[in-house]
Amino acid sequence: MLDALQFETTLAAYCLPREERRNMSSLYNKMNIHQIRQLAPNIHWEKYFDSLLGIKITDQDEVIVNVPKFLTQLDDLLQRTDKKWRELLQEFNTVVTGQAREEPRWEQCISSLTNSLGISLSSLYVRHHFKGNSKERALEMVDYIHREFMKILDRVEWMDDQTRQRARDKALAIRPYIGYPNELLNNTEIESFYKGLKFVKDDYFSNVQTLRKWSTDLAFGYLRKLNKKGDIEFPAGILQGAFFSSDRPNYLNFGAIGFVIGHEITHGFDDKGRQFDKNGNNVNWWEPETDKSFKERTKCIIEQYGNYTVPENGLKVNGVNTQGENIADNGGIKEAFRAYQEYVKDNGEEPSLPGLKYTPKQLFWISAANIWCGKYRPEVLRLRLQAGSHSPAQFRVIGTVSNLEEFGETFGCPPGSPMRPAKKCSVW
Ligand SMILES: [Zn+2]
C-alpha cells in the first residue's frame, strides 16, 4: 500500500495545479505522434492508439496534449515502477468521503445503470414519468432568461462595442435542449444506438467489460466527425422536485430551474467560457480594455468568495478555483429574477402561497436558496473545498443574493447590513 501511495503521490505532484489549468491556450498543445514519442519514448504509442481507436497512426497524425511535461514525467515514473495493483476501494472511499459502509446494492445497481445504459433508462423515464407540457414551459423560461442575458450584454458599461457585438453573436449561437430528444420515444432508434451490444445472463463482470468496450468505441467513433456547437442541455430528470413543476406558481420555477438555466447560459461568459468564440474555438475575441475590466470584476468575485470561511471546519473557500461557477451563479440568479418580472408583465401577478406570509418576489429568492439545501459529511465538505469547482451550497446562496440590490429591497434589509452590503461584486 505504501508503494501504491507513493506512486499516486508522485503522479499527483506531476499534475498541473487547478489554479494553473484555467488558461485554455496553455493547455492546447497540438503535437504530432513523432513529437509525442520524443516526450515519452517508452510508451508504445502505436499499440496505445491501435487498441483504443482501432487505427494505424502515422508520425504526422496530430493530437492535443494538455500538459506535455506530464507525459515526460509519467514515462519516467512508469520506468521506475513495478505495477502491482490492490483494490482497497472501500477503505479508500471511507477516508475520502466518510462513507463507512458500501451503498445498498439497489443503489449501486441503479447508479451503474445510469452510468452505462443511460439512454435506455431515460427512454423509460420520459415515457412513464415526464409530464408532457414541462418541455414547453421550460423552453418558455429559457426564452425569458436568454432575453435578460442579451439585455445585460447590451447595457454593461464596461464593454467596448466590438467586444459587445462578438459577445452578442456568441449568446445568439446558444441552442437549448430541454427535456429529451424525440428519438428517446423511438424504439428503432434506441435499438440501433445499442447495436452490437450483447449481454450474458449471470455474468456481470463480462457484461461490464462488454459495456466498457462498447462505450469506448462509441466515444472514439466521434473521431474526425463534426462537433456539435453551442449546446446547453437540461435533461428531463432535473425538471421535477424542488427545481420545477408545471402546476405551481412560476416564481418558484424561475427561482429554481430558472436560476440554473441562467447559470448555464452565463458559463459561456465566465473566466473559462469567455476564452471560446461563438464557434467554440479557443480564440481571443476581447479588446484589451474590456479584457482588463472583465478581470477587475472577476477579481472582486475571487476575493469575495475567498474570504468566506466554512464554520464546520474553519477552512476558506478557494476563490480562484470556484470563480467560474460563482460568476455563473451571480449572472444566473440576476437573469432569472429579471426574467420573472418580465413574465409577470406579460402574464399578470401570480398569487402567493396560502398560509405563508411571503410575497411572490420573496418566494422567488426562497425557492432559489431552497435548491441548494443539503448536507455534507465532513470529509466530503473538505474534499469539495480542496478540489471542487463549486462553492459550498450556503455560499452559493449568500454570495449571490448579497450581490444583488433587488434581494435586499425585497426583504427590506437595512443598507450596509450583511445581506445588503455597500460593496457588491458583479461581472454580468
Ligand atoms: Zn456550473
Side-chain angles (χ1 to χ4, degrees):
M1 280 312 291
L2 191 63
D3 286 348
L5 178 68
Q6 272 163 357
F7 180 81
E8 293 285 347
T9 310
T10 313
L11 213 51
Y14 291 162
C15 291
L16 208 57
R18 294 176 68 86
E19 285 82 352
E20 290 169 38
R21 302 187 75 100
R22 308 191 73 87
N23 179 347
M24 295 301 154
S25 322
S26 78
L27 297 177
Y28 188 88
N29 303 292
K30 198 184 259 193
M31 293 185 174
N32 62 33
I33 301 297
H34 177 70
Q35 289 166 310
I36 285 174
R37 199 177 288 120
Q38 285 176 327
L39 285 181
N42 297 301
I43 296 174
H44 296 289
W45 293 104
E46 283 84 350
K47 197 173 158 194
Y48 177 74
F49 283 111
D50 186 25
S51 51
L52 274 183
L53 300 168
I55 57 167
K56 299 278 174 257
I57 47 161
T58 71
D59 274 6
Q60 280 69 48
D61 274 326
E62 289 178 317
V63 291
I64 314 300
V65 181
N66 283 166
V67 186
K69 200 166 146 223
F70 180 82
L71 284 187
T72 308
Q73 291 172 315
L74 174 68
D75 186 84
D76 179 55
L77 178 64
L78 290 177
Q79 289 306 300
R80 289 183 279 119
T81 309
D82 62 338
K83 300 159 197 94
K84 283 182 188 158
W85 298 74
R86 291 279 311 266
E87 247 191 26
L88 292 164
L89 188 58
Q90 187 50 43
E91 281 88 336
F92 176 74
N93 282 342
T94 304
V95 174
V96 176
T97 68
Q99 188 185 55
R101 270 181 295 121
E102 268 190 284
E103 286 171 337
R105 183 60 55 92
W106 72 266
E107 273 184 36
Q108 293 187 38
C109 292
I110 291 289
S111 62
S112 151
L113 196 59
T114 315
N115 293 332
S116 54
L117 291 167
I119 298 282
S120 47
L121 194 63
S122 304
S123 172
L124 289 174
Y125 176 80
V126 297
R127 283 169 211 228
H128 296 288
H129 300 288
F130 192 67
K131 295 207 191 91
N133 67 340
S134 302
K135 195 166 170 170
E136 286 70 37
R137 292 286 300 269
L139 269 174
E140 185 191 26
M141 292 176 71
V142 174
D143 276 345
Y144 272 104
I145 292 159
H146 190 264
R147 273 203 292 278
E148 290 309 310
F149 185 71
M150 296 305 291
K151 283 188 212 163
I152 290 176
L153 286 184
D154 287 342
R155 288 174 194 166
V156 284
E157 78 289 356
W158 51 270
M159 286 186 112
D160 69 278
D161 288 343
Q162 279 172 294
T163 310
R164 192 191 306 278
Q165 189 50 48
R166 291 173 204 136
R168 283 183 54 87
D169 292 344
K170 178 171 175 180
L172 291 171
I174 294 173
R175 293 279 164 267
Y177 288 86
I178 300 284
Y180 60 91
N182 288 328
E183 285 90 337
L184 278 190
L185 303 178
N186 182 334
N187 281 339
T188 323
E189 295 267 5
I190 305 279
E191 273 159 27
S192 92
F193 180 73
Y194 287 115
K195 211 172 102 210
L197 200 54
K198 292 255 179 323
F199 292 127
V200 187
K201 218 183 160 194
D202 301 328
D203 193 350
Y204 182 71
F205 184 76
S206 89
N207 288 342
V208 170
Q209 279 186 312
T210 309
L211 257 170
R212 288 204 178 169
K213 184 171 183 314
W214 172 83
S215 72
T216 307
D217 288 347
L218 182 76
F220 285 116
Y222 294 124
L223 183 68
R224 298 195 175 117
K225 291 197 181 135
L226 270 181
N227 188 25
K228 263 209 288 176
K229 291 165 191 160
D231 287 12
I232 296 188
E233 292 175 23
F234 300 97
I238 200 177
L239 294 172
Q240 59 175 325
F243 285 92
F244 179 83
S245 170
S246 57
D247 54 10
R248 67 182 192 180
N250 236 352
Y251 44 78
L252 298 178
N253 293 330
F254 272 87
I257 193 72
F259 178 9
V260 178
I261 292 169
H263 170 106
E264 302 303 347
I265 291 174
T266 313
H267 262 315
F269 302 84
D270 70 14
D271 68 306
K272 280 184 176 175
R274 79 184 188 102
Q275 298 175 44
F276 299 87
D277 70 1
K278 65 173 179 189
N279 295 317
N281 292 327
N282 181 207
V283 170
N284 182 5
W285 46 273
W286 294 71
E287 296 296 321
E289 273 306 298
T290 304
D291 182 77
K292 217 174 114 213
S293 308
F294 180 91
K295 285 178 181 148
E296 277 161 21
R297 288 170 171 271
T298 304
K299 192 164 161 267
C300 182
I301 296 270
I302 294 174
E303 284 167 4
Q304 179 196 353
Y305 285 80
N307 272 320
Y308 289 133
T309 303
V310 178
E312 291 94 320
N313 56 20
L315 293 174
K316 289 217 154 165
V317 175
N318 186 320
V320 174
N321 288 346
T322 59
Q323 61 179 303
E325 294 299 335
N326 298 332
I327 293 169
D329 277 346
N330 276 273
I333 200 167
K334 181 192 284 180
E335 292 144 30
F337 184 77
R338 293 180 180 176
Y340 182 66
Q341 310 314 311
E342 292 301 312
Y343 176 86
V344 171
K345 273 189 210 162
D346 295 343
N347 299 278
E349 294 273 351
E350 294 180 290
S352 47
L353 294 181
L356 291 175
K357 59 183 187 285
Y358 301 111
T359 65
K361 269 188 190 173
Q362 290 174 331
L363 286 164
F364 169 93
W365 299 110
I366 292 169
S367 180
N370 192 36
I371 54 171
W372 302 121
C373 178
K375 195 163 164 59
Y376 303 108
R377 287 199 180 88
E379 291 86 350
V380 174
L381 184 58
R382 194 189 58 218
L383 189 67
R384 286 183 60 120
L385 284 163
Q386 286 166 340
S389 56
H390 298 89
S391 306
Q394 73 198 90
F395 301 117
R396 296 190 71 172
V397 177
I398 290 169
T400 48
V401 301
S402 64
N403 278 334
L404 281 172
E405 189 53 21
E406 290 95 327
F407 173 82
E409 265 170 30
T410 311
F411 281 98
C413 309
S417 62
M419 295 304 287
R420 197 179 185 178
K423 189 190 175 206
K424 297 185 173 69
C425 298
S426 157
V427 179
W428 298 111

